[in-house]
Amino acid sequence: MSELNTFSIAARCSRTGQLGVAVASAVPAVGSLCPYIRAGIGAVTTQSWGNPYLAARILDGLADGQAPDAALAASLATDDRPDLRQLGLVDARGTGAAWTGAGCTQAAGHRTGPGYAVQGNMLAAPGVIDAMELAFTNSAGCDLDERLMRTLEAGDAAGGDRRGKQSAALRIVAGEDYPLLDLRVDEHAAPVAELRRVLGVARRQLVPFVAGMPRKDGPAGALPDDVVAMLLEPPGQRPGTAQAGAPDPIRDVIGLRQEPARIAHLLAQFAPVLAEIETLRSLDLAQIHPPIIFDPSLPYRAVPHD
């Protein structure tokens, strides 16, 4: 098994109770091996020379009422090489815990706080962990998917995995046994930037579908008509999807010719700004500031021009 030299965050949203993990690495399909989440119990990521059985034992311990530190210690006690492991977790109350074994490839470390555990190994610099923690704590007003995405982008911008980039994933579980979001980029030159793009599509197409799925504590019901109509359209005609053959403003309008990885990197830097713009566009500001209407019948004062 490849060493999962990785940077990640396990977190809980204090407002919704959602649990999530976001992770990136220079190995393929990191989302299939690192994140483990159980609704109402906790979220765990296992990396370095990852041991998925440790994640399962931690979640079992949390389900039995153990505190995160105790569940982590009990799981590591069952392992013959805890020095090679790195784990981060939060429980359903948002208490974080983490472990970085002495045998993890440097730079390696972790940081925990209310609602999160940030960790990484074989990092380009120790500052990767600092940047990720800052991004998470500074985005407290955002939904969990956005906070996790910004944290991953901050780690990527600070250097991330020193070997390069290959895969990234974001997984969130709410109150159901199935995930609210489970997004993966498995082989890409700029996986974190690509994950941001996929998240934008998922918010417009997948999230409405999941919102209409059956719940444990309610009737199955049926999807709203507008969601059904949207999903009956070809993917390229749905909201949030770039149209095939659409002009590339960087290439066709501005005239720049850049490597795809460079463009993806630049887009990743501006992604938080674009996300804020998208949020502002979705707000109804009429109650805050009424619309200004030009009425040509009113006696506006003429202003002389040179």
Side-chain angles (χ1 to χ4, degrees):
M1 179 181 180
S2 297
E3 186 177 4
L4 295 174
N5 303 105
T6 300
F7 55 100
S8 68
I9 178 171
R12 175 187 180 270
C13 177
S14 60
R15 178 171 50 85
T16 64
Q18 295 173 358
L19 295 161
V21 172
V23 57
S25 183
V27 297
V30 69
S32 68
L33 294 171
C34 285
Y36 297 87
I37 310 175
R38 198 175 299 172
I41 303 299
V44 185
T45 177
T46 173
Q47 50 204 56
S48 188
W49 294 100
N51 184 345
Y53 295 106
L54 296 181
R57 291 166 191 155
I58 288 171
L59 291 172
D60 287 342
L62 295 177
D64 289 339
Q66 291 182 333
D69 283 337
L72 175 60
S75 71
L76 288 169
T78 69
D79 191 30
D80 59 349
R81 291 303 305 271
D83 59 307
L84 298 178
R85 316 302 182 198
Q86 187 173 56
L87 297 112
L89 65 136
V90 292
D91 68 1
R93 293 179 294 275
T95 304
W99 165 265
T100 300
C104 293
T105 307
Q106 298 300 312
H110 60 258
R111 199 78 53 78
T112 63
Y116 68 90
V118 172
Q119 46 282 319
N121 63 93
M122 198 182 264
L123 300 173
V128 172
I129 299 295
D130 298 330
M132 294 175 69
E133 182 181 42
L134 186 62
F136 186 77
T137 56
N138 282 353
S139 57
C142 300
D143 291 338
L144 185 60
D145 64 340
E146 181 65 24
R147 298 186 76 184
L148 295 179
M149 192 69 242
R150 292 189 187 188
T151 302
L152 214 58
E153 288 169 337
D156 193 47
D161 188 320
R162 76 183 187 211
R163 296 166 302 169
K165 307 174 183 183
Q166 194 165 2
S167 67
L170 189 158
R171 181 178 173 89
I172 294 176
V173 171
E176 306 300 324
D177 293 336
Y178 55 81
L180 186 68
L181 278 176
D182 191 356
L183 309 179
R184 303 177 185 183
V185 175
D186 287 339
E187 166 60 30
H188 199 277
V192 174
E194 177 65 4
L195 186 64
R196 165 63 78 175
R197 185 191 70 80
V198 173
L199 176 59
V201 174
R203 283 170 170 165
R204 303 291 296 277
Q205 300 181 24
L206 177 62
V207 170
F209 175 77
V210 174
M213 289 176 62
R215 300 285 191 252
K216 288 186 295 187
D217 57 355
L223 285 172
D225 291 342
D226 59 336
V227 176
V228 173
M230 181 264 293
L231 293 175
L232 288 175
E233 295 288 344
Q237 297 178 22
R238 296 177 194 157
T241 305
Q243 294 291 332
D248 181 340
I250 296 178
R251 181 193 65 219
D252 302 330
V253 180
I254 302 175
L256 294 177
R257 298 294 187 270
Q258 294 280 0
E259 292 295 323
R262 174 61 177 166
I263 293 175
H265 171 75
L266 293 174
L267 291 175
Q269 308 313 302
F270 284 99
V273 176
L274 296 175
E276 292 292 344
I277 292 173
E278 185 68 21
T279 300
L280 291 173
R281 284 175 173 169
S282 68
L283 296 177
D284 182 2
L285 301 179
Q287 301 301 319
I288 301 173
H289 193 298
I292 299 173
I293 301 174
F294 174 74
D295 186 346
S297 67
L298 296 176
Y300 291 100
R301 181 171 59 87
V303 178
H305 296 280
D306 294 334

mmCIF file of all heavy atoms in Angstrom, residues 27 60 106 128 263 290 303:
data_model
loop_
_atom_site.group_PDB
_atom_site.id
_atom_site.type_symbol
_atom_site.label_atom_id
_atom_site.label_comp_id
_atom_site.label_asym_id
_atom_site.label_seq_id
_atom_site.Cartn_x
_atom_site.Cartn_y
_atom_site.Cartn_z
ATOM 1 N N VAL A 27 -1.104 10.864 -4.311
ATOM 2 C CA VAL A 27 -1.385 9.481 -4.712
ATOM 3 C C VAL A 27 -2.788 9.472 -5.303
ATOM 4 O O VAL A 27 -3.606 10.341 -4.981
ATOM 5 C CB VAL A 27 -1.295 8.488 -3.528
ATOM 6 C CG1 VAL A 27 0.111 8.453 -2.958
ATOM 7 C CG2 VAL A 27 -2.306 8.818 -2.457
ATOM 8 N N ASP A 60 -16.165 3.048 16.357
ATOM 9 C CA ASP A 60 -16.836 2.139 17.294
ATOM 10 C C ASP A 60 -16.692 2.654 18.731
ATOM 11 O O ASP A 60 -17.652 2.615 19.519
ATOM 12 C CB ASP A 60 -16.253 0.733 17.196
ATOM 13 C CG ASP A 60 -16.662 0.013 15.920
ATOM 14 O OD1 ASP A 60 -17.643 0.448 15.278
ATOM 15 O OD2 ASP A 60 -15.991 -0.988 15.566
ATOM 16 N N GLN A 106 8.555 13.733 7.308
ATOM 17 C CA GLN A 106 8.550 15.172 7.587
ATOM 18 C C GLN A 106 8.422 15.961 6.275
ATOM 19 O O GLN A 106 8.784 15.476 5.211
ATOM 20 C CB GLN A 106 9.829 15.561 8.322
ATOM 21 C CG GLN A 106 9.976 14.876 9.674
ATOM 22 C CD GLN A 106 8.839 15.204 10.626
ATOM 23 O OE1 GLN A 106 8.480 16.364 10.797
ATOM 24 N NE2 GLN A 106 8.271 14.179 11.240
ATOM 25 N N VAL A 128 1.959 24.756 6.071
ATOM 26 C CA VAL A 128 0.748 24.224 5.454
ATOM 27 C C VAL A 128 -0.337 24.034 6.512
ATOM 28 O O VAL A 128 -1.498 24.400 6.319
ATOM 29 C CB VAL A 128 1.040 22.896 4.723
ATOM 30 C CG1 VAL A 128 -0.250 22.233 4.251
ATOM 31 C CG2 VAL A 128 1.974 23.134 3.539
ATOM 32 N N ILE A 263 -3.332 27.701 -15.007
ATOM 33 C CA ILE A 263 -4.659 28.304 -14.958
ATOM 34 C C ILE A 263 -5.439 27.751 -13.776
ATOM 35 O O ILE A 263 -6.113 28.490 -13.051
ATOM 36 C CB ILE A 263 -5.403 28.043 -16.278
ATOM 37 C CG1 ILE A 263 -4.718 28.810 -17.422
ATOM 38 C CG2 ILE A 263 -6.864 28.453 -16.170
ATOM 39 C CD1 ILE A 263 -5.304 28.537 -18.785
ATOM 40 N N PRO A 290 -33.882 49.344 -0.792
ATOM 41 C CA PRO A 290 -34.877 49.253 -1.871
ATOM 42 C C PRO A 290 -34.251 49.595 -3.211
ATOM 43 O O PRO A 290 -33.270 50.337 -3.286
ATOM 44 C CB PRO A 290 -35.925 50.288 -1.455
ATOM 45 C CG PRO A 290 -35.192 51.235 -0.558
ATOM 46 C CD PRO A 290 -34.170 50.412 0.157
ATOM 47 N N VAL A 303 -27.207 68.686 -15.330
ATOM 48 C CA VAL A 303 -25.813 68.889 -14.988
ATOM 49 C C VAL A 303 -25.060 69.230 -16.260
ATOM 50 O O VAL A 303 -25.062 68.448 -17.227
ATOM 51 C CB VAL A 303 -25.212 67.633 -14.324
ATOM 52 C CG1 VAL A 303 -23.723 67.854 -14.017
ATOM 53 C CG2 VAL A 303 -25.975 67.283 -13.061
#
